[in-house]
Amino acid sequence: MQHLASYVASATDCDDFTVYVLDENSQEFRMYTEANNLNGPESGIEAENGYVRRVSSTKDPSGLLNSSQASSSTGGVVGLLDKPCNILSLPVLDLSDRVVGTIQFYRVAERANFTEEDKRTCSNLIGMSGLLLKCQEFYFDMGKQRQLNEFLLTVTKSIFQDIVSMDNVIIKIMNYAKRLVSADRTALFLLDPKTDEVYARVFDRGEAEQLEIQASSGSSTGLNKQSNEIRFSTNKGVAGYVAATGQTLNIADAYADERFNREIDLLTGYKTKTILCMPLCIRGKTIGVVQMVNKRNGVFTKRDEEAFEVFAVYCALALHHAKLYEKIRRSEQRNKVALEVLSYHSQASDEEANQLMKTPIPKEINELTDYSFSPWTVDNDDKPLYVLYMFRDLFQQSRFDLGRLCRFTLTVRKNYRNVPYHNWSHAFSVAQCMFMIMKKSSKTKFSLLEGLALFVACLCHDVDHRGFTNQFMVNSASPLATLYSTSTMEHHHFNHTITILQQEGHNIFTYLSSDDYKQVLSDIKEFILATDLAIFFANKGRLKDITAKQQFDWNIKEQRQLGFAISMTACDLCSSSKPWDIQIGVVGVIFEEFYAQGDKEKAAGKTPMTMMDRDRKDQLPILQSGFLTGICVPCYEILAEILPETQPMLEGTRTNLKRWQADAEKEKEKELAREKESAENAQQSGNAETVSA
């Protein structure tokens, strides 16, 4: 408009001109100058008879053709202040025929009056203003949008790269919000849905540096000085209103709005004039409010609202993620504390470890390599010493820190629960069986790292077992079943092993390189998972096909891993290969654990499987016959095929199977006899009723 007016003034031989722009928000005309851009409301022109307002309301050009009229109507404030002038006022219209401003041209009265021809010339030239303004508006909007996009990109990078605390995110949002809409100060209030209150704990005192310092130090001049925050109900103040309604408020005069809360101004001595307050929303729910105070130049515009509306989306996302981060961080700290407490109660004491370290390790324990040996006869207090012996014999104890090895072994023992079967004694028996297999087999079958992983996996394969099957854990909606959808307990056993290794002074693998350490942990996980019978059936099928073709090769990695997996299963079931008196004793313990699970299922109104039902104890021989036939014998047949040294385990299992089958036949005969007796009793009862009739 300034350039257009200059061109028209030159074309019509005017001495000066003034451009007035209509403010969209206040509907006041402001005089435009190149030095000050916009310089307040039109100066010296009265609302009732000012030519600017008259022209804007009529949209018709108006002219003063003599200097006396000009002087009286304008109060002497015209383009040339020291000389009487003639005035020609013309409206500037956009393409929608709306007045966006007026231009006043001045000609010194001594020269000549404005003529009708001057009016027409000016009107024709200014009539082009609509198209020019539209082009200028489009260009201006494109520039503003580009600036906004660059600004939002900067904001996004800055905020989302530094989501370490809620306060840091709030500080950045407040500083960027001020820059976005040229506000003097800003405040961010979070919504507390539990109390229906809004609160702020970071405050803007007018400078970004002060804002940063205040947030880092935690100082505040808020209303609630004890908690260093301002907190008030959502039915109070502009911020409360926006939080409650989710509506944007653009207030040109704060003190004229009844929703404005003057308490903070009275407390701080700051004078609030204009306010732009907008909600921050996630999924349609308000989580906070940003309040910009005192536009540095005029009042907040519609353009400010639109720009901040886009900005608010990023702010809400940043706050939402910051809240999630804080929750996760707090949860991690709670878990850390819980782990520290549990570790204290679940790990071996230094006194226990020192005592074990001082106990001499036997030079020879020959019975550990005997297939008929019963590991259940070893006293629980002696088992850790036996474990140290097996470590030394297999892996050379010099490789291990004795203190770590003692703490690890004792803590593993302590983390086995006091359940009937899946306890420390069972773990020791499985580890002893693996020791026996490795000692009797060719050393080329097991590398040092593989043997280490196998032995540790056996020792830890049931750690923290609760005495229930995987299916029971799933059916009872156990948290463990939520964490691990398959091989529930086996995954837990491995993760609990890692937890023990991570405790201070328990990592027995510190001497390993990083790559070897990762490989050993990976093998331990695979070997522990292999004790899940569901995985065994898949391994058995693959190995059976390979061995049937006599194609098994320990040098093929995949087949080697299958051989280790079947070895884990064989060791886990080793009681089935022991002499009969050992076998029958262990089976009694196993079924006592099964019956305990069945009792729980009955208490929950469910019907347990036959093997879990203590009311059907008579079925035990039949169940054991089926178990050895379907699982144990096939397992040891494959193992004997790939490790011939384990043939005695297969023979022992077959011997036990014959005993179980014999007992099963006896039980079937008893059952037939009971059925026959029941049928005879029923027939006699029927005959008696007939005679009576």
Side-chain angles (χ1 to χ4, degrees):
M1 289 174 64
Q2 181 79 6
H3 291 296
L4 177 63
S6 177
Y7 176 77
V8 174
S10 176
T12 55
D13 194 24
C14 294
D15 295 307
D16 203 353
F17 64 88
T18 304
V19 174
Y20 294 95
V21 178
L22 182 65
D23 186 282
E24 294 180 359
N25 292 286
S26 64
Q27 292 299 305
E28 294 180 345
F29 284 94
R30 301 179 182 274
M31 186 170 65
Y32 176 87
T33 64
E34 291 184 348
N36 298 323
N37 199 346
L38 287 175
N39 187 27
E42 58 164 314
S43 180
I45 300 180
E46 300 176 4
E48 292 80 6
N49 56 9
Y51 269 83
V52 172
R53 292 185 178 84
R54 185 183 305 171
V55 170
S56 67
S57 62
T58 63
K59 300 182 182 179
D60 291 327
S62 297
L64 290 181
L65 303 182
N66 61 74
S67 59
S68 60
Q69 287 179 299
S71 180
S72 63
S73 297
T74 64
V77 181
V78 293
L80 302 174
L81 298 178
D82 56 345
K83 296 181 181 181
C85 295
N86 295 315
I87 300 174
L88 178 61
S89 295
L90 296 100
V92 180
L93 309 177
D94 62 12
L95 292 179
S96 301
D97 202 35
R98 295 178 303 176
V99 175
V100 295
T102 63
I103 303 176
Q104 285 190 345
F105 296 97
Y106 308 111
R107 187 180 289 167
V108 176
E110 297 174 353
R111 295 180 54 224
N113 295 333
F114 286 108
T115 65
E116 292 297 329
E117 183 62 28
D118 291 332
K119 288 184 182 181
R120 284 193 295 271
T121 300
C122 290
S123 296
N124 290 338
L125 291 173
I126 293 178
M128 301 167 55
S129 63
L131 182 58
L132 294 174
L133 287 172
K134 189 65 178 177
C135 293
Q136 177 64 24
E137 182 182 3
F138 180 74
Y139 177 80
F140 179 78
D141 287 345
M142 289 290 290
K144 278 288 186 182
Q145 188 61 49
R146 184 173 62 253
Q147 292 176 7
L148 178 60
N149 292 342
E150 293 174 354
F151 176 81
L152 292 175
L153 181 60
T154 302
V155 170
T156 304
K157 287 181 179 179
S158 176
I159 293 178
F160 282 90
Q161 285 178 356
D162 193 29
I163 299 184
V164 294
S165 75
M166 180 68 77
D167 286 351
N168 284 350
V169 172
I170 290 174
I171 288 169
K172 291 194 173 188
I173 290 175
M174 291 169 67
N175 285 332
Y176 279 118
K178 287 170 64 175
R179 288 173 48 190
L180 179 64
V181 298
S182 299
D184 181 53
R185 294 191 183 184
T186 185
L188 192 151
F189 298 92
L190 297 175
L191 178 62
D192 186 345
K194 294 181 180 179
T195 62
D196 202 25
E197 293 177 322
V198 291
Y199 64 94
R201 62 190 186 207
V202 179
F203 310 99
D204 183 0
R205 297 177 178 177
E207 296 182 14
E209 292 79 7
Q210 291 178 341
L211 185 66
E212 300 279 357
I213 294 170
Q214 179 189 2
S216 63
S217 65
S219 63
S220 170
T221 58
L223 297 179
N224 188 343
K225 294 185 179 180
Q226 291 183 341
S227 61
N228 292 330
E229 70 177 22
I230 292 177
R231 180 179 285 266
F232 51 88
S233 172
T234 53
N235 58 19
K236 189 175 185 180
V238 173
Y241 178 85
V242 172
T245 64
Q247 298 177 5
T248 297
L249 287 182
N250 189 343
I251 302 173
D253 185 353
Y255 280 81
D257 195 300
E258 61 182 10
R259 294 165 295 196
F260 176 62
N261 178 17
R262 306 183 184 190
E263 291 182 21
I264 298 177
D265 275 12
L266 293 173
L267 182 69
T268 62
Y270 183 75
K271 179 64 180 294
T272 301
K273 299 175 183 177
T274 58
I275 298 175
L276 176 59
C277 191
M278 302 188 74
L280 301 175
C281 301
I282 285 287
R283 298 175 183 171
K285 295 181 65 175
T286 301
I287 62 170
V289 170
V290 175
Q291 182 171 285
M292 281 73 68
V293 178
N294 291 353
K295 176 87 169 178
R296 293 187 183 275
N297 189 4
V299 296
F300 295 105
T301 65
K302 188 69 176 176
R303 193 183 299 275
D304 291 331
E305 294 181 32
E306 293 171 351
F308 191 82
E309 189 174 355
V310 178
F311 175 67
V313 174
Y314 295 90
C315 295
L317 285 172
L319 287 173
H320 182 64
H321 281 84
K323 278 187 175 181
L324 291 178
Y325 177 84
E326 283 198 347
K327 286 182 179 179
I328 292 171
R329 191 160 57 89
R330 285 196 299 270
S331 178
E332 287 178 345
Q333 294 305 314
R334 283 195 295 268
N335 291 340
K336 187 176 181 181
V337 171
L339 184 60
E340 289 174 354
V341 174
L342 291 174
S343 296
Y344 176 79
H345 292 287
S346 65
Q347 71 182 28
S349 66
D350 291 338
E351 291 77 8
E352 291 175 302
N354 291 333
Q355 184 178 353
L356 181 60
M357 288 174 63
K358 294 176 182 178
T359 305
I361 301 174
K363 292 183 179 180
E364 294 291 340
I365 307 179
N366 295 324
E367 60 264 30
L368 289 177
T369 56
D370 186 347
Y371 282 110
S372 63
F373 171 68
S374 174
W376 293 273
T377 60
V378 180
D379 189 89
N380 270 348
D381 291 335
D382 293 334
K383 287 185 175 76
L385 194 64
Y386 277 52
V387 170
L388 295 184
Y389 169 81
M390 289 185 280
F391 260 104
R392 184 188 66 184
D393 195 310
L394 288 172
F395 314 116
Q396 303 175 12
Q397 186 178 304
S398 59
R399 293 175 175 269
F400 299 93
D401 178 89
L402 182 59
R404 291 177 180 272
L405 188 57
C406 289
R407 277 188 290 271
F408 175 78
T409 303
L410 291 171
T411 298
V412 168
R413 180 184 70 172
K414 196 169 186 177
N415 279 265
Y416 271 92
R417 300 195 179 200
N418 188 25
V419 294
Y421 176 67
H422 290 96
N423 49 35
W424 168 242
S425 292
H426 169 64
F428 178 76
S429 71
V430 176
Q432 180 269 327
C433 185
M434 183 60 72
F435 169 80
M436 179 178 60
I437 290 175
M438 287 193 284
K439 289 292 290 182
K440 289 183 175 294
S441 302
S442 171
K443 291 186 177 180
T444 58
K445 297 290 194 301
F446 305 90
S447 71
L448 180 65
L449 292 180
E450 290 167 343
L452 182 60
L454 283 165
F455 188 76
V456 172
C458 287
L459 202 63
C460 302
H461 81 285
D462 274 332
V463 67
D464 197 46
H465 200 291
R466 282 85 189 284
F468 303 114
T469 64
N470 284 337
Q471 192 58 50
F472 179 87
M473 302 299 283
V474 172
N475 294 341
S476 61
S478 164
L480 286 176
T482 303
L483 289 174
Y484 317 112
S485 57
T486 60
S487 301
T488 299
M489 291 309 301
E490 287 74 21
H491 275 104
H492 175 61
H493 301 324
F494 169 73
N495 286 331
H496 202 76
T497 302
I498 297 300
T499 299
I500 294 173
L501 286 169
Q502 290 174 341
Q503 293 181 25
E504 186 177 356
H506 286 69
N507 190 351
I508 60 176
F509 303 129
T510 52
Y511 73 94
L512 297 177
S513 68
S514 177
D515 290 341
D516 287 346
Y517 181 71
K518 291 178 182 177
Q519 185 60 53
V520 166
L521 292 187
S522 177
D523 286 343
I524 290 174
K525 181 178 182 178
E526 183 176 345
F527 298 155
I528 290 178
L529 292 179
T531 60
D532 183 358
L533 288 179
I535 293 177
F536 160 73
F537 287 116
N539 292 338
K540 182 190 75 170
R542 293 162 67 187
L543 274 172
K544 193 173 182 179
D545 291 340
I546 295 171
T547 55
K549 300 174 184 176
Q550 296 185 341
Q551 293 178 344
F552 183 85
D553 187 348
W554 282 100
N555 294 317
I556 298 175
K557 184 178 180 180
E558 183 182 0
Q559 295 184 15
R560 187 180 185 84
Q561 292 300 108
L562 286 172
F564 294 149
I566 208 76
S567 300
M568 286 294 300
T569 305
C571 292
D572 197 19
L573 305 175
C574 67
S575 65
S576 62
S577 68
K578 298 294 182 180
W580 177 251
D581 58 334
I582 300 174
Q583 155 78 164
I584 194 73
V586 174
V587 168
V589 174
I590 292 173
F591 273 82
E592 186 55 43
E593 190 171 286
F594 286 168
Y595 295 152
Q597 175 177 319
D599 293 342
K600 278 188 170 290
E601 290 173 328
K602 288 180 180 179
K606 299 177 181 178
T607 302
M609 298 170 58
T610 302
M611 63 186 294
M612 306 289 180
D613 192 347
R614 68 172 66 250
D615 295 331
R616 305 192 67 182
K617 288 183 178 181
D618 56 322
Q619 297 296 305
L620 193 152
I622 298 173
L623 293 170
Q624 274 300 103
S625 296
F627 180 70
L628 267 64
T629 301
I631 295 176
C632 298
V633 170
C635 174
Y636 291 121
E637 284 177 344
I638 294 173
L639 187 66
E641 186 76 25
I642 63 176
L643 288 174
E645 300 86 352
T646 63
Q647 182 69 26
M649 298 183 75
L650 173 60
E651 293 173 357
T653 305
R654 284 174 172 168
T655 299
N656 288 330
L657 175 58
K658 291 178 181 178
R659 294 288 298 268
W660 285 117
Q661 287 175 334
D663 288 351
E665 287 299 322
K666 291 178 183 178
E667 186 57 41
K668 288 179 181 178
E669 290 174 1
K670 290 180 181 179
E671 187 173 348
L672 288 173
R674 286 193 294 269
E675 290 177 356
K676 183 178 180 182
E677 182 180 356
S678 177
E680 289 175 351
N681 290 338
Q683 185 176 2
Q684 290 176 1
S685 176
N687 293 337
E689 289 179 0
T690 302
V691 171
S692 175

